[in-house]
Amino acid sequence: MSDVLEIHDLTVAYDKKPVLWNVDFDIPGGKMVGIIGPNGAGKSTLIKSIMGLIEPDGGHVKIFDKDVEEVRDRIAYVPQRETVDWDFPASVMDVALMGLYNNKRWFQRYTKADKKIAEECLDKVGMLSFAKRQISQLSGGQQQRVFLARALARNADFYLMDEPFAGVDASTETSILQLLESMRDDGKTLLIVHHDLQTANRYFDWFVLLNRRLIACGPREEVFTEEKIQETYGARISLIEELSQQLGQKKLPTREY
Ligand SMILES: Nc1ncnc2c1ncn2[C@@H]1O[C@H](COP(=O)(O)OP(=O)(O)OP(=O)(O)O)[C@@H](O)[C@H]1O
Ligand SMILES: [Mg+2]
C-alpha cells in the first residue's frame, strides 16, 4: 500500500521557539502507528500540524498525496483530553453525531440513518446507555470513549488520536484496542500518541519516536529498541541545549504572507 502520510522537513514554532525541528517521515497505509516521546516532545503539536490546526514555519504535510483541506472527510481526529473544553452544552449523542458532518454542514438536520450510525458507534465504545447525558457530566474515561465514538462515526480512512487510552480503565483499554485493531485489519491507518512504553510494544506495528526532532520511524523490530528509546527519553536535556544553539546560529525559517 502506498504512503498515507508524508511529512517533509516540518518545523513548527510557538512564538519563534521551535517545538518540532525538521521532522521528516512517511507512514504507509494499513498500519497502527504509535507516536512515542516524553512530555513536551511535540507529539500533540505534530498531530495538530498534520490536521492543519497549526501553521508550520517550514516544510509540508501530505495526506493521501494531497493537502489536508482536500481530504478532510477521510480523516478523523481525537484530541488529547486535557485540551478539550468539556463545558459546552451537548449530549453524548450530539457529540457522536458531530462525527458524521464536516463543520460546514453542522446546521443541517440529522436523519434516522445518521442516528443509527451514531448509536452503533456509541455502542462500540460501551457508551450507548449514556446517550442522553450531557458530556460535561461524564467521568474522564467516559468522555474519552465518547470522543472515540465521534471519530468512529466519521468512517474515515486515516485516524489521528492523541492519547486515546489516557484515563480509561484496563477493560475499556482492551476493548478499544480490539476495536482499533479491527479497523487496522480493514485497511485503515491509525496514528496514535501513546504514553505507556510497557504496552506500546504490543499495541503498535510501526513507530514514530519523537523528541522535538525525529529520533526514528519505521517497523517495530527496527525502531522499538532499547537504544532508540533511550535516545528518545534520555537525551532530552542535551537535545534542547543543542536546539537553542542551532537557533543562535540559524534563523528560523519564517512564513511569507
Ligand atoms: N499553544 C502553545 N503556545 C506555546 N507553547 C506551546 C503551545 N502548545 C504547546 N507548547 C509547548 O510546545 C512543547 C510541545 O508541546 P506538545 O503539547 O506538542 O507536547 P506533547 O509531546 O504532546 O506533550 P504531552 O506528552 O505532555 O502531551 C511544550 O514545551 C509546550 O509547552
Ligand atoms: Mg500531548
Side-chain angles (χ1 to χ4, degrees):
M1 207 183 281
S2 61
D3 288 338
V4 163
L5 175 68
E6 278 176 51
I7 297 187
H8 182 66
D9 261 355
L10 185 75
T11 296
V12 180
Y14 295 110
D15 308 321
K16 303 249 171 207
K17 287 202 194 91
V19 168
L20 294 177
W21 190 271
N22 275 356
V23 171
D24 204 294
F25 66 89
D26 301 334
I27 298 290
K31 298 262 183 267
M32 192 148 134
V33 183
I35 302 181
I36 308 287
N39 289 138
K43 303 179 298 294
S44 296
T45 303
L46 176 64
I47 296 258
K48 286 181 204 163
S49 306
I50 296 169
M51 285 299 296
L53 302 171
I54 300 177
E55 187 79 21
D57 290 73
H60 70 245
V61 173
K62 293 274 180 200
I63 303 171
F64 301 114
D65 220 15
K66 297 204 163 73
D67 289 337
V68 64
E69 297 308 332
E70 295 175 70
V71 290
R72 220 169 254 297
D73 57 346
R74 296 180 67 189
I75 307 172
Y77 167 54
V78 180
Q80 192 167 356
R81 204 168 62 83
E82 298 94 84
T83 64
V84 176
D85 172 15
W86 294 103
D87 282 335
F88 63 87
S91 71
V92 165
M93 185 67 182
D94 292 336
V95 173
L97 278 167
M98 282 175 201
L100 286 159
Y101 290 97
N102 292 324
N103 288 341
K104 60 181 175 213
R105 293 179 63 202
W106 166 224
F107 58 89
Q108 289 179 336
R109 292 183 64 149
Y110 299 106
T111 63
K112 263 195 179 150
D114 293 339
K115 286 206 172 133
K116 190 155 178 290
I117 293 169
E119 278 171 12
E120 279 166 15
C121 295
L122 285 172
D123 197 25
K124 280 184 184 166
V125 299
M127 287 301 291
L128 185 56
S129 56
F130 293 83
K132 293 207 173 88
R133 183 87 70 90
Q134 286 295 301
I135 190 88
S136 56
Q137 292 166 357
L138 296 177
S139 77
Q142 290 167 341
Q143 290 172 335
Q144 187 74 323
R145 283 149 66 181
V146 175
F147 264 60
L148 214 56
R150 183 183 71 163
L152 292 180
R154 286 188 71 74
N155 192 24
D157 297 313
F158 182 30
Y159 289 82
L160 299 111
M161 303 184 171
D162 202 341
E163 305 209 23
F165 300 117
V168 302
D169 61 44
S171 74
T172 306
E173 178 149 347
T174 307
S175 63
I176 291 174
L177 180 69
Q178 283 167 356
L179 194 63
L180 301 182
E181 283 172 344
S182 73
M183 289 157 70
R184 187 259 323 270
D185 295 343
D186 284 345
K188 317 253 184 202
T189 306
L190 302 110
L191 187 59
I192 299 171
V193 178
H194 190 63
H195 239 109
D196 183 21
L197 288 173
Q198 306 298 324
T199 49
N201 194 29
R202 252 188 310 127
Y203 288 5
F204 304 106
D205 29 41
W206 201 270
F207 282 94
V208 174
L209 301 186
L210 188 75
N211 194 342
R212 307 276 173 129
R213 285 191 311 197
L214 183 75
I215 308 294
C217 172
R220 177 177 44 222
E221 317 78 70
E222 285 171 27
V223 169
F224 203 73
T225 63
E226 200 177 327
E227 189 196 350
K228 291 203 166 79
I229 289 165
Q230 181 80 43
E231 196 185 337
T232 309
Y233 285 82
R236 192 171 177 193
I237 293 159
S238 59
L239 195 70
I240 292 167
E241 274 169 10
E242 193 190 319
L243 252 170
S244 11
Q245 228 175 29
Q246 280 190 41
L247 245 190
Q249 289 158 7
K250 187 176 158 189
K251 258 187 87 179
L252 248 191
T254 46
R255 254 189 300 152
E256 286 175 4
Y257 290 93

